[in-house]
Amino acid sequence: MNRLVGTTSPYLLQHADNPVDWWPWGPEAFEEARRRDVPVLLSVGYSACHWCHVMARESFEDTTTAKYMNRHFVCVKVDREERPDVDAVYMEAVQAATGQGGWPMTVFLTGDGEPFYFGTYFPPAPRHGMASFPQVLEGVSAAWTDRREEVAEVAGRIVRELSGRSLAHGGGEGVPGEAELSQALLGLTREYDARHGGFGGAPKFPPSMVLEFLLRHYARTGAEGALQMAADTCEAMARGGIYDQLGGGFARYSVDREWTVPHFEKMLYDNALLCRVYAHLWRATGSDLARRVAVETADFLVRELRTDEGGFASALDADSDDGTGRHTEGAYYVWTPEQLREVLGGPDAEFAAQYYGVTDEGTFEEGAEGASVLQLPQGGGMVDAARVESVRTRLLAAREQRPRPGRDDKIVAAWNGLAIAALAETGAYFDRPDLVERATEAADLLVRVHLGDTPGTARLVRTSKDGRSGAHAGVLEDYGDVAEGFLALAAVTGEGTWLEFAGFLLDIVLDRFVAEDGALFDTADDAEQLIRRPQDPTDNATPSGWTAAAGALLSYAAHTGSEPHRAAAEGALGVVKSLAPRAPRFIGWGLAVAEALLDGPREIAVVGPEEDPAARELHRTALLATAPGAVVASGPADGDGFPLLTDRPLVGGRSAAYVCRRFVCTAPTTEVGVLRAELGVFE
């Protein structure tokens, strides 16, 4: 065992028995490199990364390669999900030098952390014009020994270039308005795949945050085209192989533009974001498909990713044992006609093959010969729902007997915040109090383990495992997404404590993450100093810390009337004004927050005793409001914990709802029908 054995990261623990003498990231590793006068070999990946596993099997588990690494380098292994700041800084260097990036990321550094040679995956032998990993190791070692001045010059130049970079779009540019959001919609329309849904070509990723923007834009403006793009994309994904037709939940992305063959890893953040999108699509349209997918995805989160401590694990691997001892991608999920016959028998197997698109030729090349990814047909008339459910249940039970993909049990604060919001809202919409309870338990875990016992002075910790907090500080996305989850939970449960916790986190954002010009940094001003302080406003697989914080700040300001929080949100949205017309696909959550800003956002106060059925119905109606970013407070008149309830009396002794903007309200109503009409509630 090497030095990784005592870490809390499942990814690092996967490498704890490598013959490589790995070090975790920390000053001790760099001190050792300086003492031995050797370079640092930095390897960055994550537990569900297919090519990370491949390189580990080919190189890091190879004794000869490991001996060379140990002799000539100090080898440092980093979990990118645990240290997104380290990953972001060196990925920026890799992309600047090579024009591309990915994981595993391989970077060679000086003892002062300055990068001088870069790459991603390297094969064990030369392949397709790519140098082998042993060749790279030998070349870097020779350069370090024989051309040290050249190495130092390259490293210094790279650090100067990175340090000299600044955002061409920061704060102080004003908030986005109708013009920028219309230009964003136009840009998305140009990139929209009208035939298959989604945006761009292969590989195709679920555009979760863009879909949220489209739904909010439709709710605010009535633009049918925005709704159509969102609805068609959601249906295409739900019918495609990227969605698990047996167990629910989405894979990371589709390798083709038709959503047929996924990269099979399942990430918590994807499923939390998509669960919420489908719930919001149902809220806007009443779509049965959207309702089914939202609920199935929520159930997947609870069934497959919930940990014993009440939080949600980070990911399921793409690879698993195919039954022969060989780990292959997708082995757990794909089916052949023969496998269908073994489980279902002749007639039902034929029915299942036709219904799910399983063919003799197969649709998945890497699995067993003739294996297919399950999909749903487009249209096709009436289907025997009882037979479908019987087939699905039996196939799911049979699949449970296969060797399961590995699970990364690490609890990431940000992604749990996203899951809390999704489960709370899905539970509220579809009368599933168990989902709200699971969301509350996850929130309790974040407070108990990630904030500790002294919330007045505590800071958020990025990760935990088995109820033990990790060593690394939370970054901006943790503060923004956890606050988002707490705010959603406050709206659903009527418990003002969650609003207070959100405010505590957002006060730290104002104090530690916001620049004078309104721009935001990904790390706190007292965080570990790297070669560059990371600062990326663009949304990728998740909302950027920048846009996540902007959304939570705006919602908190709507709840409390706090001008500093609203001003910070508006300052952060300057980046959306700049990027919306040029790169709308990469600022989707920022666009969604901008929609909320343009709408107010609406503030809905429901006053009345909890036991009153009329109050409960008004509360549910408020939660179903499609008004972008609407915030909801419910409880007794002048109830503690919610400023929106202050000075909001009952009306004629009856429970009532107040709809406000910036704390200026329309006439209260006691009638659910009137409230539905005012808020545009579909149901």
Side-chain angles (χ1 to χ4, degrees):
M1 291 290 183
N2 53 46
R3 293 171 181 82
L4 303 183
V5 70
T7 62
T8 58
S9 161
Y11 175 65
L12 299 188
L13 291 172
Q14 289 172 358
H15 294 271
D17 60 354
N18 288 169
V20 178
D21 186 19
W22 291 114
W23 293 65
W25 178 274
E28 298 82 6
F30 290 92
E31 290 170 6
E32 177 70 3
R34 291 191 293 269
R35 185 187 69 79
R36 290 176 49 195
D37 192 26
V38 296
V40 171
L41 190 166
L42 173 65
S43 176
V44 182
Y46 58 103
S47 71
C49 167
H50 172 72
W51 286 103
C52 298
H53 297 321
V54 172
M55 191 167 178
R57 289 195 298 268
E58 294 173 342
S59 297
F60 303 150
E61 296 173 9
D62 178 73
T63 304
T64 301
T65 303
K67 284 181 178 179
Y68 193 92
M69 293 169 67
N70 295 337
R71 185 179 305 120
H72 296 281
F73 303 91
V74 169
C75 302
V76 175
K77 177 63 77 171
V78 167
D79 182 342
R80 68 175 293 261
E81 297 173 348
E82 196 171 56
R83 287 302 301 264
D85 52 339
V86 173
D87 177 63
V89 164
Y90 290 106
M91 183 60 74
E92 185 178 13
V94 171
Q95 291 174 329
T98 68
Q100 58 187 10
W103 299 276
M105 175 168 62
T106 308
V107 187
F108 295 89
L109 315 173
T110 69
D112 294 322
E114 299 177 336
F116 62 89
Y117 190 78
F118 318 89
T120 51
Y121 163 80
F122 290 105
R127 186 185 305 164
H128 306 305
M130 183 187 300
S132 70
F133 190 49
Q135 288 174 328
V136 170
L137 295 174
E138 291 168 7
V140 170
S141 180
W144 182 265
T145 302
D146 302 330
R147 304 192 302 279
R148 182 70 63 85
E149 290 184 1
E150 180 182 334
V151 168
E153 181 184 348
V154 169
R157 185 176 70 249
I158 291 170
V159 170
R160 287 192 300 274
E161 289 176 357
L162 291 176
S163 300
R165 288 187 175 195
S166 61
L167 288 171
H169 35 262
E173 300 200 20
V175 297
E178 291 286 358
E180 288 82 14
L181 297 184
S182 295
Q183 287 176 297
L185 182 63
L186 182 61
L188 291 170
T189 303
R190 292 194 187 105
E191 297 187 63
Y192 181 64
D193 183 346
R195 183 175 181 184
H196 303 293
F199 301 89
K204 190 175 279 184
F205 292 81
S208 309
M209 292 147 284
V210 167
L211 295 174
E212 187 67 38
F213 159 63
L214 293 173
L215 290 173
R216 289 187 178 191
H217 189 75
Y218 166 71
R220 188 178 63 83
T221 68
E224 292 286 347
L227 176 63
Q228 200 66 51
M229 284 192 287
D232 289 351
T233 297
C234 284
E235 179 168 359
M237 291 192 300
R239 291 184 176 278
I242 193 174
Y243 184 67
D244 183 351
Q245 304 297 340
L246 298 184
F250 290 85
R252 173 78 275 266
Y253 64 86
S254 172
V255 301
D256 53 77
R257 67 184 304 166
E258 294 86 11
W259 308 105
T260 300
V261 179
H263 184 46
F264 286 89
E265 64 188 15
K266 285 182 174 180
M267 310 302 295
L268 171 60
Y269 53 74
D270 283 320
N271 285 284
L273 288 166
L274 287 167
C275 177
R276 203 177 186 193
V277 163
Y278 279 87
H280 289 175
L281 176 61
W282 171 83
R283 184 175 66 177
T285 66
S287 162
D288 289 337
L289 180 142
R291 177 186 183 124
R292 175 176 63 80
V293 172
V295 171
E296 288 178 356
T297 303
D299 286 337
F300 158 77
L301 289 172
V302 173
R303 184 182 67 250
E304 301 286 347
L305 295 181
R306 187 171 181 269
T307 68
D308 292 341
E309 296 73 37
F312 292 90
S314 297
L316 298 179
D317 281 358
D319 301 3
S320 58
D321 191 326
D322 64 2
T324 68
R326 186 170 65 102
H327 270 62
T328 59
E329 185 181 356
Y332 185 70
Y333 299 101
V334 298
W335 294 83
T336 64
E338 178 59 30
Q339 289 171 330
L340 293 181
R341 286 191 288 271
E342 289 174 1
V343 175
L344 302 173
D348 276 351
E350 292 181 12
F351 169 80
Q354 182 176 10
Y355 184 74
Y356 288 120
V358 177
T359 65
D360 291 331
E361 298 78 15
T363 59
F364 183 57
E365 296 177 358
E366 292 190 36
E369 185 175 349
S372 294
V373 183
L374 302 189
Q375 305 172 75
L376 286 186
Q378 295 289 336
M382 297 293 292
V383 176
D384 185 340
R387 190 178 192 186
V388 169
E389 183 58 23
S390 171
V391 163
R392 189 193 69 81
T393 301
R394 283 181 284 161
L395 290 178
L396 181 60
R399 194 177 76 177
E400 292 283 347
Q401 304 308 309
R402 296 177 175 179
R404 299 180 65 82
R407 188 173 84 164
D408 184 333
D409 282 337
K410 175 176 74 271
I411 305 297
V412 176
W415 307 346
N416 274 256
L418 297 175
I420 290 164
L423 292 174
E425 292 183 353
T426 303
Y429 297 167
F430 305 123
D431 194 22
R432 288 284 303 273
D434 58 308
L435 296 179
V436 179
E437 187 175 347
R438 300 294 86 78
T440 302
E441 290 165 351
D444 285 337
L445 175 71
L446 292 181
V447 171
R448 186 176 68 253
V449 175
H450 289 246
L451 275 176
D453 297 325
T454 54
T457 58
R459 297 283 285 277
L460 194 60
V461 173
R462 169 74 174 172
T463 63
S464 70
K465 186 176 183 297
D466 300 329
R468 181 162 64 100
S469 61
H472 304 297
V475 295
L476 182 60
E477 73 160 345
D478 294 305
Y479 285 87
D481 287 336
V482 172
E484 176 79 16
F486 287 175
L487 290 166
L489 195 57
V492 167
T493 63
E495 295 178 9
T497 300
W498 299 116
L499 178 63
E500 294 174 15
F501 275 121
F504 168 72
L505 296 175
L506 294 171
D507 284 344
I508 295 175
V509 171
L510 295 182
D511 189 42
R512 297 291 185 179
F513 291 88
V514 181
E516 289 184 4
D517 65 352
L520 295 168
F521 287 97
D522 292 330
T523 54
D525 57 6
D526 58 351
E528 176 187 354
Q529 290 190 355
L530 304 174
I531 59 171
R532 170 178 167 84
R533 190 177 178 191
Q535 184 185 48
D536 185 0
T538 57
D539 300 323
N540 198 318
T542 60
S544 68
W546 187 307
T547 60
L553 286 163
L554 182 64
S555 294
Y556 184 76
H559 265 292
T560 63
S562 168
E563 284 302 324
H565 290 83
R566 186 177 179 96
E570 292 179 352
L573 289 176
V575 71
V576 180
K577 184 179 180 71
S578 174
L579 288 179
R582 297 186 286 118
R585 285 173 59 189
F586 302 99
I587 198 72
W589 190 250
L591 291 168
V593 176
E595 286 289 346
L597 182 68
L598 262 63
D599 195 65
R602 235 79 67 90
E603 304 145 1
I604 310 168
V606 177
V607 293
E610 183 180 355
E611 63 275 10
D612 180 13
R616 291 199 297 270
E617 188 62 22
L618 287 169
H619 181 210
R620 173 176 163 76
T621 301
L623 293 172
L624 292 176
T626 58
V631 301
V632 178
S634 65
D638 294 316
D640 292 337
F642 285 107
L644 278 174
L645 300 179
T646 302
D647 297 326
R648 305 277 187 258
L650 300 177
V651 175
R654 298 172 62 189
S655 296
Y658 295 76
V659 180
C660 319
R661 284 185 173 94
R662 306 289 298 264
F663 277 67
V664 177
C665 306
T666 59
T669 181
T670 60
E671 301 298 329
V672 168
V674 174
L675 185 61
R676 283 179 179 166
E678 186 170 1
L679 297 176
V681 173
F682 178 86
E683 190 183 53

